[in-house]
Amino acid sequence: MTTRLAALARWVRTPPRGPAADRAYSVALLVVGLALLALDVRMIGADVPFVDVPGGTLPWQVGILLLGTTALLLKRRRPVLVLVVVTALLAADVALGGSLGMYLVLFDALFTVARAAAPRARAVVLGVLVALVLAVLVGTVVAGASARDVVQLTLVAGSLLLPPWWWGSDVRRSEVLVAEQSRRADAERARADLARAHADDVARIAALDRDRAVQDERARMARDLHDVVAGHLSAVAIHAEAALAAPPDESRDRAALTAARAGSLAALAEMRSMILVLREGADADATTAPAGLARLTDLDVDVVGDVPAGLAAAVDHAAFRILQEAATNARKHGAGRAAVRFTADGDTLDVVVENALRTDAVPVNPALTSSTGLQTMRERATALGGTLTAAPTGATWRVHARLPLRPGDETR
């Protein structure tokens, strides 16, 4: 029951619109008006005809009611014109004795003007309604009516003319408010869609930057390893050329073959490492000297302990590049110089880089930075079959790389 009452309240506050609804209203008003005429229910104070017509007033009132309800079919397109026509028909009906059916038709016409007419037309109609109420007040006073009659007639005029206008204006305000809220909701959705699109673009650009940095780093790794492989193959060629140039000598030839075999195996190991890291799409840049721990003095780091020597070229290059990136990160985001320590444990080389964290560091939104440094270091270590971890430990940032001393042995 409560649900039905709530639905009825919503229907009364914002009644349905459209040609079908207009026809339903007109038919309903016609039926109600005819029933009131059949019961001889008339308007208060207008129950006596002012004119005599042949055949009685009832047929004429029925015709006037039919014309009024028919005119309401045009109220949506011509609300002011329909109101004028209905007002004229109501005046004729009052002259014949008046009927509540025609007042209901006037009520609907006034409601439609207040709800759908242009602002200027609504202002004119409202002025006319107020003037009519004031005219009743002044007319009754001039006619010498008692104070009681003046108040009663003025209240009756106001209650007949102003409620439909107030209801229509309230519905109009509700519809304007709903339209404004809908427009704002659409604008908010558009702004949210734009923000999501912008965030997607930022994330896509950051991903492209990371991919490009990784590809460039892999290309540099491949060029470094290429230089080492070329050196091993040159040594093989030199030993073979020397053995072929001299007369046959078993001991010397076996020594040359042994050296060629060692160089070939070393070249194969380096080539395997190069294949693991080589990727297409990186731009070639100027040729540089192969990177290795021999160039450790070029980095802004403090070395704790001894620097390992005799490492495989792939391990040597990877360790240097990891240290180079860690030193760069320490310089950008840390406080003071980074300290590096090497530890060889069986077949694994541990490289540990530590630097103090800045106390005034401002957190960076990960969506707005490419964060390629850690990725390239991990790529170096993973390509050789090693691992790399990087995380804060108290007030210190610690990078720990574990690299195999003989990468590629398991694939020979």
Side-chain angles (χ1 to χ4, degrees):
M1 184 66 179
T2 304
T3 304
R4 293 181 179 179
L5 290 177
L8 179 61
R10 287 194 300 270
W11 183 88
V12 170
R13 185 169 182 82
T14 55
R17 304 180 67 176
D22 292 343
R23 288 192 294 270
Y25 285 146
S26 298
V27 172
L29 288 176
L30 179 60
V31 172
V32 172
L34 292 176
L36 292 174
L37 286 173
L39 296 174
D40 197 26
V41 178
R42 299 181 178 273
M43 295 176 61
I44 299 175
D47 53 350
V48 178
F50 293 99
V51 295
D52 293 328
V53 291
T57 60
L58 183 60
W60 292 90
Q61 287 182 307
V62 171
I64 291 174
L65 180 62
L66 181 60
L67 290 176
T69 53
T70 303
L72 290 180
L73 297 176
L74 302 176
K75 63 182 181 180
R76 189 177 305 279
R77 287 178 290 178
R78 295 287 187 272
V80 177
L81 178 61
V82 170
L83 177 61
V84 172
V85 172
V86 168
T87 302
L89 292 174
L90 179 64
D93 185 72
V94 169
L96 296 175
S99 67
L100 285 180
M102 274 306 300
Y103 168 73
L104 295 178
V105 174
L106 176 67
F107 190 104
D108 194 15
L110 283 173
F111 170 84
T112 303
V113 171
R115 181 186 184 186
R120 184 175 180 180
R122 288 189 292 111
V124 171
V125 173
L126 179 59
V128 172
L129 293 178
V130 174
L132 288 175
V133 175
L134 294 177
V136 171
L137 174 63
V138 174
T140 53
V141 171
V142 173
S146 63
R148 176 174 173 272
D149 292 338
V150 170
V151 173
Q152 285 183 341
L153 291 175
T154 303
L155 290 177
V156 169
S159 62
L160 290 176
L161 298 177
L162 297 181
W165 185 268
W166 169 81
W167 184 22
S169 299
D170 185 64
V171 171
R172 180 186 182 91
R173 283 191 297 269
S174 299
E175 292 174 342
V176 171
L177 180 60
V178 169
E180 179 64 18
Q181 290 176 343
S182 177
R183 185 191 66 80
R184 291 182 180 179
D186 292 340
E188 289 295 332
R189 284 193 294 269
R191 281 194 291 268
D193 292 340
L194 183 61
R196 283 193 294 270
H198 178 70
D200 292 341
D201 291 340
V202 171
R204 192 178 301 111
I205 292 173
L208 291 175
D209 290 341
R210 287 193 294 270
D211 292 343
R212 180 58 182 271
V214 170
Q215 295 296 335
D216 291 345
E217 183 67 14
R218 291 173 179 173
R220 285 193 294 270
M221 294 164 64
R223 286 194 292 273
D224 290 342
L225 293 172
H226 172 269
D227 294 338
V228 175
V229 172
H232 286 304
L233 294 179
S234 297
V236 171
I238 291 172
H239 284 292
E241 182 66 24
L244 292 174
D249 185 305
E250 183 178 355
S251 60
R252 188 185 65 242
D253 291 345
R254 288 188 63 84
L257 289 173
T258 300
R261 180 181 181 278
S264 299
L265 292 177
L268 286 175
E270 303 298 345
M271 183 64 72
R272 290 190 184 97
S273 299
M274 181 176 67
I275 291 174
L276 289 174
V277 299
L278 185 59
R279 296 291 186 272
E280 297 180 357
D283 295 334
D285 54 12
T287 303
T288 58
L293 294 181
R295 294 173 52 190
L296 193 57
T297 55
D298 296 342
L299 303 181
D300 187 20
V301 296
D302 294 328
V303 180
V304 179
D306 299 329
V307 179
L311 298 175
V315 179
D316 196 24
H317 294 164
F320 178 80
R321 292 300 189 191
I322 291 173
L323 289 175
Q324 187 179 42
E325 186 62 41
T328 301
N329 288 342
R331 187 168 57 254
K332 288 182 178 179
H333 309 295
R337 289 162 60 91
V340 57
R341 182 175 67 256
F342 300 95
T343 303
D345 181 12
D347 294 333
T348 304
L349 174 66
D350 289 285
V351 182
V352 178
V353 186
E354 296 179 331
N355 63 274
L357 293 172
R358 291 171 52 187
T359 58
D360 59 344
V362 178
V364 179
N365 185 351
L368 302 180
T369 177
S370 58
S371 302
T372 59
L374 294 179
Q375 292 189 34
T376 54
M377 287 192 289
R378 287 195 180 95
E379 184 71 24
R380 288 277 185 180
T382 304
L384 298 178
T387 60
L388 184 138
T389 59
T393 304
T396 303
W397 180 264
R398 189 171 187 267
V399 177
H400 182 195
R402 293 180 61 87
L403 306 176
L405 291 175
R406 290 183 293 275
D409 282 351
E410 68 280 1
T411 61
R412 288 182 183 177

